[in-house]
């Protein structure tokens, strides 16, 4: 069935006249720019390219996806939030998530006054399709968020294909951790599914969390709406420069070497954790962190903090579970020493 994206978009966004940035119609770099009330002096005096064309072109070449299918956000958190603004009528529409998962879907839903349907993942942290099925036909359900690999559980989510084939709203796949995973990205499926948004980020595998740049891959139609609603200059020139500098062959190789190192450290960490009495369970992970179940998460968390080792206490979400990011070899050693002293 052909999906009409326009029908999914909020009415006021369809008719919205977006802010038009100064210089929108001028593509050159050399000119006398007296159009944006900038200061003629200094090095950082000009507004950045609102559409981050250079970065999008590089990403387009690297990933073999047209730059018209790419949107850049101020972190993937902005990519998530803008999806609400494009598709969800406050006080009327709904989104759906699978719990436990990344907290920002719920926060963004609350900020945007959108009802959140939260279905629990099963004991293997997978989607239970039978529970999901009735919701797929709710006309007010606008977005299904799927985080894969999932944060905080670490596993990749199965059955995404089924949802793509059977849901006519927006399917938002959050692939923040995909570069650590053996699974394929869904990025290349945007050709077949005009209602699919795949988000990725420079914050994790690229090691650039401080720069705050996230990516949405989606149909041209969806990207056009992203550009319509985004703040005009959502990514600063300094941050655009940092990303541009990172997108060269040498650095890309370095990133890939670092990620191999992180995955190797993860293996070592898991082996050492297995030897601890206080660790009850280690959940399978396709990401750069592991979720473990311990005897008393609150107590162990507190003892680690006393030694300046900070992990994420997820006891309130999954009973007695801690989420541990894989650090450098030295950091992981310090973690293990401290855990052994508690053991
Ligand atoms: N998605 C997931 C699943 C995450 O874990 C995070 C960060 N913790 C984000 C998105 C946000 O990433 P950023 O805004 O840094 O791109």
């Amino acid at each position: 069935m052909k999906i009409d994206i326009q029908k999914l978009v909020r009415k006021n966004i369809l008719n919205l006249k977006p802010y038009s940035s100064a210089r929108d119609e001028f593509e050159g770099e050399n000119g006398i720019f007296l159009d944006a009330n900038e200061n003629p002096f200094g090095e950082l005096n000009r507004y950045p390219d609102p559409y981050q064309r250079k970065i999008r072109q590089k990403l387009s070449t690297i990933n073999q996806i047209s730059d018209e299918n790419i949107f850049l956000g101020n972190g993937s958190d902005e990519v998530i939030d803008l999806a609400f603004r494009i598709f969800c009528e406050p006080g009327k529409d709904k989104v759906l998530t699978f719990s436990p998962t990344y907290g920002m879907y719920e926060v963004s839903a609350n900020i945007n006054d959108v009802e959140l349907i939260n279905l629990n993942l099963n004991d293997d942290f997978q989607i239970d399709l039978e529970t999901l099925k009735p919701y797929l036909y709710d006309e007010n359900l606008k977005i299904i968020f799927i985080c894969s690999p999932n944060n905080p559980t670490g596993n990749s989510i199965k059955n995404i294909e089924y949802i793509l084939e059977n849901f006519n709203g927006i399917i938002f796949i959050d692939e923040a951790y995909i570069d650590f995973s053996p699974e394929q990205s869904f990025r290349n499926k945007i050709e077949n599914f005009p209602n699919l948004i795949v988000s990725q980020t420079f914050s994790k595998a690229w090691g650039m969390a401080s720069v705050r740049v996230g990516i949405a891959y989606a149909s041209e139609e969806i990207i056009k709406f992203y550009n319509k609603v985004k703040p005009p200059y959502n990514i600063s020139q300094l941050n655009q420069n940092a990303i541009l500098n990172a997108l060269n062959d040498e650095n890309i190789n370095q990133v890939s070497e670092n990620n191999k190192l992180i995955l190797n450290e993860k293996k070592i960490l898991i082996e050492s954790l297995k030897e601890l009495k206080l660790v009850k369970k280690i959940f399978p992970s396709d990401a750069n962190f592991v979720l473990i179940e311990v005897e008393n998460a609150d107590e162990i968390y507190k003892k680690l903090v006393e030694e300046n080792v900070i992990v994420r206490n997820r006891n309130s979400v999954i009973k007695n579970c801690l989420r541990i990011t894989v650090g450098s070899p030295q950091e992981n050693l310090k973690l293990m020493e401290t855990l052994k002293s508690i053991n």
Side-chain angles (χ1 to χ4, degrees):
M1 200 187 87
K2 177 98 178 69
I3 292 173
D4 185 351
I5 295 299
Q6 306 244 344
K7 282 209 175 121
L8 294 172
V9 171
R10 283 166 64 197
K11 296 278 171 301
N12 61 319
I13 299 298
L14 271 182
N15 304 323
L16 176 81
K17 204 167 154 281
Y19 177 78
S20 81
S21 314
R23 236 160 290 156
D24 257 0
E25 285 132 46
F26 182 82
E27 295 249 341
E29 292 199 353
N30 299 315
I32 296 174
F33 298 118
L34 306 175
D35 57 346
N37 300 345
E38 294 152 335
N39 190 309
F41 305 115
E43 287 171 11
L44 299 172
N45 55 334
R46 299 293 174 197
Y47 282 106
D49 173 7
Y51 300 108
Q52 306 98 20
R53 291 176 184 87
K54 287 185 185 160
I55 300 177
R56 284 172 40 242
Q57 271 155 19
K58 277 204 181 179
L59 281 176
S60 161
T61 314
I62 293 168
N63 295 324
Q64 315 257 293
I65 287 181
S66 159
D67 56 356
E68 314 223 309
N69 297 117
I70 302 174
F71 169 81
L72 297 181
N74 197 279
S76 38
D77 283 342
E78 187 180 42
V79 174
I80 293 167
D81 194 62
L82 291 180
F84 281 87
R85 297 216 209 165
I86 299 169
F87 297 107
C88 301
E89 204 72 66
K92 178 176 166 233
D93 287 332
K94 307 169 199 169
V95 300
L96 188 146
T97 58
F98 302 98
S99 178
T101 194
Y102 181 47
M104 274 311 278
Y105 315 131
E106 183 168 1
V107 172
S108 271
N110 289 340
I111 291 171
N112 290 289
D113 189 17
V114 170
E115 186 184 330
L116 181 101
I117 299 164
N118 207 357
L119 302 183
N120 287 333
L121 291 168
N122 68 19
D123 290 345
D124 296 324
F125 297 135
Q126 291 296 337
I127 294 171
D128 177 24
L129 285 182
E130 291 311 312
T131 316
L132 172 67
K133 277 178 191 170
Y135 294 94
L136 297 177
Y137 308 100
D138 180 344
E139 283 203 351
N140 289 331
L141 177 60
K142 288 295 176 68
I143 313 176
I144 295 181
F145 286 96
I146 302 167
C147 185
S148 184
N150 187 37
N151 176 9
T153 59
N155 60 301
S156 299
I157 301 293
K158 298 174 184 158
N159 292 325
I160 296 180
E161 297 280 351
Y162 177 90
I163 300 172
L164 282 173
E165 297 288 348
N166 290 282
F167 182 57
N168 291 332
I170 300 295
I171 294 138
F172 188 113
I173 307 180
D174 183 337
E175 293 188 339
Y177 300 98
I178 192 71
D179 295 317
F180 300 109
S181 159
E183 300 291 327
Q184 284 280 314
S185 167
F186 275 82
R187 192 169 60 193
N188 297 326
K189 304 259 181 191
I190 58 169
E191 268 176 49
N192 313 356
F193 300 98
N195 54 336
L196 169 63
I197 301 172
V198 176
S199 81
Q200 295 184 359
T201 179
F202 282 93
S203 298
K204 311 293 175 182
W206 286 87
M208 301 182 81
S210 77
V211 178
R212 310 300 305 125
V213 175
I215 314 167
Y217 296 100
S219 58
E220 256 176 64
E221 255 189 310
I222 290 183
I223 297 296
K224 277 191 188 140
F225 284 109
Y226 262 97
N227 285 327
K228 212 172 171 184
V229 302
K230 85 187 187 75
Y233 305 109
N234 59 331
I235 299 176
S236 82
Q237 191 59 56
L238 294 175
N239 294 352
Q240 291 193 39
N241 292 347
I243 298 292
L244 271 175
N245 288 337
L247 290 173
N248 65 68
D249 287 347
E250 197 186 334
N251 185 58
I252 291 172
N253 287 339
Q254 183 63 54
V255 163
S256 137
E257 286 307 309
N258 289 350
N259 290 339
K260 277 186 209 149
L261 194 87
I262 290 170
L263 290 183
N264 193 44
E265 275 300 304
K266 182 169 83 171
K267 254 195 218 155
I268 297 171
L269 183 64
I270 289 172
E271 287 311 309
S272 330
L273 285 167
K274 277 182 188 165
E275 287 169 15
L276 296 179
K277 206 169 80 228
L278 60 81
V279 176
K280 296 288 160 218
K281 193 164 179 184
I282 304 168
F283 294 93
S285 163
D286 283 343
N288 65 333
F289 56 83
V290 277
L291 186 76
I292 62 171
E293 187 188 324
V294 292
E295 257 162 29
N296 186 333
D298 290 345
E299 194 184 309
I300 292 170
Y301 172 78
K302 234 177 84 203
K303 285 188 176 158
L304 285 172
V305 170
E306 280 164 16
E307 297 299 320
N308 286 333
V309 178
I310 326 295
V311 299
R312 186 86 153 114
N313 184 1
R314 296 279 73 190
N315 186 29
S316 60
V317 195
I318 321 168
K319 187 133 189 60
N320 278 327
C321 281
L322 300 172
R323 192 193 69 194
I324 304 174
T325 308
V326 180
S328 68
Q330 298 88 312
E331 288 170 335
N332 301 334
L333 271 179
K334 165 79 179 163
L335 165 82
M336 284 311 302
E337 273 170 19
T338 316
L339 280 176
K340 273 180 198 154
S341 73
I342 303 170
N343 202 34

